[in-house]
Amino acid sequence: MEIFLPIAHMDINIFMIVAFGLLVGFLSGLTGVGGGFLITPLLIFVGVPPLIAVGTGAAQIVGASAAGSYAHWRMGNVDMRMALILLLGSWTGGLAGVRVARWLESSGHFGLVVTFLYVGLLGFIGLSMLLESLMAMRGARRPAKAAAGEKKSSWATRLPWQMDFPVSDLRISVLLPVSLGLAVGVLTALMGVGGGFVMVPIMLYVLKMPTKVVVGTSLFQLLFTTAEVGILQAGMNHAVDPYLALALVVGSIFGTQFGARLGARMPGEQLRLVLALVVVGVAVKMGLGLIIPPEHVFQVTRVL
Amino acid sequence: MIRLARLALSLLGAVAMGTASAAAGDIGGQTPSLVVGTGIDRVAVTSRFTGRELLVFGALSHPGSVVVVLRSPPSALAITQKVQTGPIWLTGQKVTVEKLPGVYEIAASAPLDRLLPAGTRQQLGLDLQDLIAKAQFEPEPQDRPRWERAVLTAKERSGSFVLRDHAVKITDGRLFSARLDLPASLPLGHYTLKTYLIRDGRVLAQSDESIDVEQVGLEQWVADVAERKPWLFGIGLTLLLAILGLGLGILMQRRSGS
């Protein structure tokens, strides 16, 4: 069913967008890795202007992560103090990022910057996931990380503004979660991702939070970060398309359920290999877009 | 219905009048005139709107050629140039074009350059290049003609600027009909539809109609709020997405749990 998107100013088959949501939700449910970093490239591939793909990508994560955040919060898996300090950083980063996005869009460079960011980030994530899952499938043991962790905590403990986080059973400097939040907020604004793939490993290996709390807290903070960025992208940049966002949310919630059910019965390494291949594929396709001569040297973009 | 009936009546009148003057055998005997109808004076744009056909028809008092011109309100556009740097295509200069109609469609019964001299074509706005030459480019590019060509190409590609030479059909020298294709992305507002009766390089008669392009229903409300109150729209949509996600998510968990 073709509909006209009021913000993106284009026709699109809305069932195709629901299918994107289903597909990405399915992969996300299957592997437990959030799929925000696949939604934005897919939207760009079908011709949605990059800024709208990024803004809508962030907004749809609000819907996709709401139920999960609520469930973790009710189970007490959210370190609320940590989450609020992370949000202090990510809301600031989000605001700065949306302003940068506006500036880049008005000078006509946003699409290019997003492509570079995606090629770099997806290439890195995809390749490291690929290596990890290949190594795991060969049965290679990963070296213990305890030794490295001890060294890290020595400089981390010397930073000012130490604070107790009883739920995570930690005492660390406020600067660590604030700067982590800051980075994630900027990523959310410029790439339309939740940033879980950055936040979770850092919480686990750098901050050394307990795994159960990491999942709940990161989900909780990304819900509110994407909500802030979604509102800012709509308010400042007119960059959130309502029909795209609703279709993606509906698709991804159903997709996640199917994925999670199937994922429980399948070996984790192979699943991660599949996701890694998809991510590398998307990065390559975006990268080729930079090299292949454009069909038209002049391109119509949005007036901002 | 009443509109159509009235239109049919006036068409008949015009044809009768035309026949009379044709019998007299000269143009001077009677003021040339034309009667034009479109069947609609309003185009309702919903989110399902993916373009539509606009039928323009009417009667001529004297035989001649017919040109139909549909012009939308101005609509700004931005255009960027891709530049190759090493192996990579980067985005170069960005130029905003203003004071240019969003949609401009010309349908004629014969090639325009044979119907009217260049001066008259420009005067009547029947020259697409000239139209773009009069638009405002911001910032003014160094190689303006190249950018003008790019704008024309882009507008033609999206179906916003159309020039069709044999798109008006004339039957018996008295009745004409033309089909215009409205693209999906239409600027809203008051469109003018001008019809010219042309003979021997001169405009014998002209008729002005108007069509309002409006958004309707829920879509109109959504697009309106998104455009005029973007902050309210952002907050509302974000809340809606959260509620939808929470509701559907809990529903699914209940179903899989039971």
Side-chain angles (χ1 to χ4, degrees):
Chain A
M1 188 177 77
E2 293 278 315
I3 70 160
F4 186 75
L5 302 174
I7 298 291
H9 279 282
M10 61 183 288
D11 288 318
I12 211 152
N13 187 338
I14 201 70
F15 293 130
M16 179 179 72
I17 301 300
V18 175
F20 283 175
L22 274 170
L23 177 75
V24 173
F26 181 76
L27 282 173
S28 164
L30 207 58
T31 56
V33 181
F37 54 84
L38 290 177
I39 291 280
T40 302
L42 282 175
L43 292 180
I44 292 175
F45 290 159
V46 297
V48 175
L51 183 59
I52 293 168
V54 165
T56 308
Q60 67 88 27
I61 297 173
V62 176
S65 65
S69 300
Y70 176 69
H72 277 285
W73 174 70
R74 280 197 45 184
M75 287 187 286
N77 293 346
V78 179
D79 181 341
M80 203 50 87
R81 180 178 284 189
M82 179 68 84
L84 289 178
I85 288 173
L86 283 167
L87 277 177
L88 199 73
S90 66
W91 278 11
T92 312
L95 179 65
V98 172
R99 283 188 159 278
V100 170
R102 184 186 170 78
W103 174 73
L104 286 171
E105 177 78 352
S106 64
S107 63
H109 297 286
F110 185 77
L112 190 71
V113 171
V114 166
T115 309
F116 272 118
L117 282 174
Y118 265 97
V119 171
L121 192 78
L122 289 190
F124 175 73
I125 296 172
L127 286 178
S128 46
M129 274 168 54
L130 202 63
L131 286 178
E132 196 186 83
S133 57
L134 284 177
M135 263 155 57
M137 283 168 78
R138 281 197 190 161
R141 289 275 157 84
R142 270 182 287 169
K145 292 196 170 161
E150 289 303 318
K151 262 186 233 160
K152 283 253 172 62
S153 61
S154 65
W155 63 260
T157 47
R158 266 183 270 127
L159 286 170
W161 298 304
Q162 297 282 324
M163 190 187 258
D164 278 315
F165 294 92
V167 180
S168 300
D169 193 21
L170 275 178
R171 182 176 171 78
I172 53 166
S173 162
V174 178
L175 288 179
L176 288 175
V178 166
S179 44
L180 175 59
L182 211 61
V184 168
V186 171
L187 280 184
T188 304
L190 288 183
M191 300 181 71
V193 295
F197 53 86
V198 174
M199 179 151 280
V200 169
I202 292 186
M203 282 174 145
L204 277 175
Y205 302 122
V206 180
L207 303 187
K208 303 210 175 304
M209 289 167 63
T211 310
K212 198 178 72 171
V213 184
V214 164
V215 176
T217 309
S218 67
L219 208 54
F220 185 85
Q221 82 79 32
L222 83 80
L223 169 66
F224 285 96
T225 305
T226 52
E228 183 233 16
V229 169
I231 291 170
L232 291 175
Q233 290 282 27
M236 284 171 66
N237 296 345
H238 294 270
V240 181
D241 195 281
Y243 301 123
L244 277 184
L246 286 168
L248 286 170
V249 167
V250 170
S252 76
I253 286 171
F254 285 97
T256 310
Q257 291 289 327
F258 298 133
R261 271 181 230 173
L262 193 68
R265 283 183 256 134
M266 282 176 72
E269 289 84 17
Q270 278 158 27
L271 290 180
R272 238 166 278 141
L273 182 69
V274 171
L275 184 68
L277 289 175
V278 171
V279 170
V280 171
V282 171
V284 168
K285 177 149 171 46
M286 289 207 96
L288 285 178
L290 290 171
I291 302 167
I292 293 171
E295 199 184 337
H296 307 289
V297 174
F298 287 99
Q299 289 170 343
V300 175
T301 60
R302 297 205 315 150
V303 180
L304 194 81
Chain B
M1 277 316 286
I2 295 169
R3 268 180 51 80
L4 274 180
R6 263 220 313 267
L7 190 69
L9 269 181
S10 55
L11 284 183
L12 277 176
V15 174
M17 185 178 73
T19 320
S21 75
D26 72 315
I27 298 172
Q30 195 164 15
T31 323
S33 66
L34 40 69
V35 182
V36 179
T38 52
I40 50 162
D41 55 7
R42 179 170 167 269
V43 174
V45 178
T46 63
S47 60
R48 301 274 208 97
F49 182 87
T50 53
R52 68 166 283 176
E53 206 171 61
L54 180 68
L55 192 64
V56 183
F57 50 91
L60 317 167
S61 65
H62 295 73
S65 302
V66 173
V67 177
V68 177
V69 186
L70 179 74
R71 179 189 195 129
S72 83
S75 161
L77 84 138
I79 190 160
T80 57
Q81 186 183 10
K82 289 267 176 188
V83 209
Q84 194 172 24
T85 312
I88 291 174
W89 285 86
L90 299 172
T91 315
Q93 201 186 353
K94 176 176 176 174
V95 171
T96 308
V97 184
E98 276 172 77
K99 297 185 178 158
L100 187 68
V103 168
Y104 203 86
E105 301 200 24
I106 304 171
S109 58
L112 267 178
D113 46 2
R114 268 191 259 152
L115 291 182
L116 290 168
T120 317
R121 288 206 302 274
Q122 287 193 4
Q123 203 185 331
L124 298 178
L126 297 178
D127 188 329
L128 293 177
Q129 274 101 351
D130 184 56
L131 204 68
I132 292 172
K134 284 176 183 152
Q136 183 187 317
F137 284 55
E138 182 63 42
E140 186 76 31
Q142 294 234 315
D143 184 10
R144 178 154 167 156
R146 216 163 90 83
W147 286 81
E148 285 178 1
R149 277 199 300 281
V151 171
L152 182 60
T153 314
K155 282 288 201 182
E156 285 177 336
R157 207 162 55 220
S158 66
S160 306
F161 276 24
V162 181
L163 167 59
R164 288 206 197 104
D165 279 339
H166 294 287
V168 180
K169 251 188 277 172
I170 299 182
T171 320
D172 298 336
R174 288 289 179 247
L175 298 172
F176 75 90
S177 67
R179 274 169 213 281
L180 300 176
D181 288 314
L182 299 179
S185 185
L186 280 178
L188 303 177
H190 195 69
Y191 284 53
T192 58
L193 180 76
K194 288 184 192 290
T195 311
Y196 302 102
L197 170 61
I198 292 161
R199 199 156 96 186
D200 304 326
R202 284 191 310 126
V203 175
L204 295 184
Q206 176 183 346
S207 169
D208 292 0
E209 262 70 35
S210 71
I211 293 166
D212 285 310
V213 176
E214 298 164 347
Q215 277 182 318
V216 291
L218 180 68
E219 293 88 345
Q220 184 228 344
W221 184 79
V222 170
D224 218 44
V225 174
E227 187 61 37
R228 300 217 182 115
K229 297 190 171 117
W231 291 99
L232 183 71
F233 165 77
I235 293 167
L237 179 66
T238 306
L239 278 177
L240 179 68
L241 290 172
I243 292 165
L244 178 73
L246 200 61
L248 274 181
I250 289 172
L251 209 71
M252 298 288 287
Q253 274 162 6
R254 287 240 177 96
R255 263 198 51 209
S256 64
S258 63

